[in-house]
Amino acid sequence: MTEKTSTYQNVIRQFDKAADLMGLDPEIRKILSKTTNEITVNFPVKMDDGRIEMFRGYRVQHNNVLGPYKGGLRFHPSVDIDEVRALATWMTWKSVIINIPFGGAKGGIQCDPANYSTRELERITRRFTFALGCAIGPEYDIPAPDVNTNAQIMAWILDTYLSMMPPLERNRSLHVVTGKPIESGGSLGRDKATGQGIVFVIEQWARDQGFDLKGATYTVQGFGNVGSWTARLLKPHGARLVAVEDVSGSFSNPEGLDADDLSDYAKAHRGRIAGYPQATPIDPEAIFSTQADILIPAAMENQITAVTAPLLNVRLVVEGANGPTDADGEAILAERGIGVLPDVLCNAGGVMVSYFEWLQNKRSEFWDLEEVDSKLYRKMVSAYERVRDATQAYDVDWRTAAYIVALSRLAKVYKERGIFP
Ligand code: NAD
């Protein structure tokens, strides 16, 4: 049996590569290669049948030098301190690359939500929020949805957090979470934001490369929030989704799958795509070997590895998920001439619109969808251009360039402010 890849080790390998290349100050390097706070909470929850079950949850805060900690919450059996540490660190880089005044954090509960009723999930969420207490807050650390969490879960966190506040504070704290339902203070466009940002990046790349998206083929791993929205928003460009995978299996249709129809099907089948009539089941590995122009991993980390990277039959990987390519996999892709547009750039649309939601709540405003989308477009294009320009200035791959953009800015800030005392 192979050892589980350390996701945080992967972050450090990416970090070291960029830091070496740009000659990052060794003192700054010490600071940024560590997380600031790592909170582990164990808490009891009453199950529907009266039993008590113990849960373990995490919140890791990597860095807040540019603004409040910000990052999603994940409910998944794989959640552990190593994974959350890595995800929190990526959030710091992402906020800098997209140029918003947030730091990086991430959290989650080690559990499989499919094993619990809705009432149990509500109690798990509320008890976790209570356990975190003042470790989160609207001007301090702001959670959002991630794998297996959604607007409903954010509404429960909001309600629990507000219930713990003194009455005068309650109406000032709506922005303690983002990705809320619209009626509870959410932003239009947040639901599709990550997929929308990915599609804006693909458009820019295609324009630079003189690549026609009309008739292009692509595959998607993961058909949840990120994967399904990306596919739905690529549809108007005339690109063809030829294979897709989620936890329920891998499926193909060389003629092209209709992303809207598949998304409706998944919604009606507990979020899963198995049994979709217009697709044929394929082997799990086939999601990697299917021939297409673009592969969009939008599920979990460590999917494109030394084992799967040799199978890839595409010209470009567009990372929708966080950390889908590990350092060994990336080296193989580079040798094979397969480009990678990295997570910290591609999926930054989610945190971007989370920032818009946070601002709207603080200012008691409500922006229309056109305003959200046009602001997101401008931010994604300028982030893309910053990273693209760094690939040319340093003659490096896109991930290393994105890290250089983030690390240069953070290094400047530490230099300006110094270290207390
Ligand atoms: P989600 O829970 O909505 O969907 C996850 C999807 O991945 C589901 O279709 C699930 O079936 C599938 N999946 C899970 N494990 C899999 C496996 N081993 N093989 C194949 N498919 C598998 O989650 P999401 O919000 O879409 O997040 C997906 C990825 O995108 C994560 O890496 C997350 O951190 C990242 N991300 C999400 C957001 C956001 O706004 N939701 C923002 C930035 C990054």
Side-chain angles (χ1 to χ4, degrees):
M1 206 168 93
T2 53
E3 231 177 272
K4 184 183 177 236
T5 320
S6 157
T7 306
Y8 190 63
Q9 209 42 49
N10 193 31
V11 176
I12 292 301
R13 282 176 73 179
Q14 296 170 347
F15 175 80
D16 282 344
K17 183 174 173 191
D20 286 347
L21 223 136
M22 66 188 279
L24 183 67
D25 181 320
E27 305 293 354
I28 308 287
R29 199 165 166 149
K30 280 185 210 159
I31 300 170
L32 293 177
S33 60
K34 289 275 182 283
T35 56
T36 305
N37 302 309
E38 300 190 342
I39 301 149
T40 302
V41 291
N42 294 302
F43 55 95
V45 179
K46 225 181 280 168
M47 297 290 107
D48 288 346
D49 63 4
R51 274 179 314 112
I52 300 292
E53 204 170 307
M54 285 302 290
F55 290 84
R56 172 164 293 183
Y58 302 92
R59 188 72 181 167
V60 172
Q61 296 160 336
H62 173 255
N63 189 285
N64 65 348
V65 74
L66 290 175
Y69 297 112
K70 182 84 188 88
L73 286 177
R74 176 179 288 196
F75 290 2
H76 195 274
S78 76
V79 167
D80 61 15
I81 193 68
D82 177 87
E83 181 179 278
V84 182
R85 206 176 263 156
L87 292 162
T89 311
W90 279 319
M91 283 307 297
T92 302
W93 315 148
K94 204 178 296 182
S95 296
V96 185
I97 291 162
I98 193 80
N99 200 13
I100 48 175
F102 279 153
K106 203 80 176 195
I109 303 176
Q110 198 178 75
C111 73
D112 184 351
N115 295 339
Y116 301 99
S117 70
T118 306
R119 285 155 50 113
E120 287 169 335
L121 270 180
E122 176 176 349
R123 288 196 294 272
I124 293 167
T125 305
R126 287 183 181 278
R127 192 60 206 232
F128 177 50
T129 311
F130 178 75
L132 288 175
C134 291
I136 60 168
E139 301 291 335
Y140 180 66
D141 183 356
I142 307 128
D146 192 75
V147 175
N148 291 333
T149 58
N150 54 24
Q152 174 61 75
I153 286 176
M154 297 306 116
W156 290 329
I157 296 175
L158 172 69
D159 186 68
T160 309
Y161 184 84
L162 296 185
S163 306
M164 296 190 301
M165 289 288 108
L168 272 175
E169 290 296 318
R170 286 183 197 151
N171 281 331
R172 282 193 232 144
S173 302
L174 258 189
H175 51 309
V176 65
V177 278
T178 56
K180 299 180 286 290
I182 305 296
E183 299 75 10
S184 289
S187 174
L188 290 173
R190 174 60 184 91
D191 203 23
K192 66 166 180 154
T194 308
Q196 182 69 79
I198 292 167
V199 172
F200 287 154
V201 168
I202 294 176
E203 282 171 15
Q204 294 308 305
W205 173 86
R207 183 177 310 169
D208 279 352
Q209 299 292 317
F211 176 84
D212 194 358
L213 283 172
K214 197 169 162 46
T217 51
Y218 69 101
T219 56
V220 175
Q221 185 198 36
F223 204 71
N225 175 287
V226 178
S228 67
W229 273 113
T230 305
R232 290 175 66 185
L233 294 163
L234 273 175
K235 188 173 143 183
H237 288 278
R240 203 150 36 98
L241 171 60
V242 291
V244 58
E245 180 186 68
D246 77 352
V247 276
S248 66
S250 307
F251 306 89
S252 83
N253 182 343
E255 301 304 314
L257 290 146
D258 182 320
D260 291 312
D261 194 48
L262 181 58
S263 177
D264 290 343
Y265 178 88
K267 272 184 206 135
H269 294 84
R270 295 187 310 123
R272 298 180 177 205
I273 57 175
Y276 182 63
Q278 274 82 46
T280 313
I282 51 175
D283 287 342
E285 300 280 274
I287 195 67
F288 298 110
S289 57
T290 300
Q291 184 181 4
D293 295 305
I294 301 173
L295 163 64
I296 306 172
M300 301 294 286
E301 52 274 6
N302 302 325
Q303 299 300 305
I304 301 172
T305 61
V307 177
T308 54
L311 307 176
L312 259 59
N313 205 353
V314 293
R315 81 179 257 191
L316 182 72
V317 173
V318 176
E319 293 186 335
N322 286 305
T325 312
D326 75 10
D328 294 336
E330 182 139 37
I332 294 170
L333 296 186
E335 268 169 36
R336 298 190 55 215
I338 298 174
V340 179
L341 296 178
D343 46 8
V344 286
L345 167 66
C346 296
N347 69 30
V351 72
M352 190 67 244
V353 178
S354 275
Y355 173 64
F356 295 157
E357 178 176 333
W358 187 77
L359 275 185
Q360 290 172 71
N361 294 159
K362 270 165 78 91
R363 300 173 177 172
S364 298
E365 289 177 0
F366 191 70
W367 303 352
D368 61 29
L369 185 58
E370 208 179 14
E371 184 171 359
V372 171
D373 280 351
S374 61
K375 286 185 160 138
L376 174 64
Y377 176 76
R378 284 200 298 278
K379 285 289 213 172
M380 289 305 301
V381 170
S382 58
Y384 170 88
E385 288 174 350
R386 260 194 300 283
V387 176
R388 182 200 56 200
D389 293 351
T391 63
Q392 289 157 5
Y394 289 87
D395 191 20
V396 288
D397 60 87
W398 283 75
R399 190 187 315 282
T400 308
Y403 267 65
I404 291 175
V405 167
L407 299 179
S408 312
R409 164 102 189 267
L410 289 163
K412 242 184 223 157
V413 172
Y414 274 103
K415 285 245 167 71
E416 285 160 5
R417 298 189 195 174
I419 298 295
F420 170 84

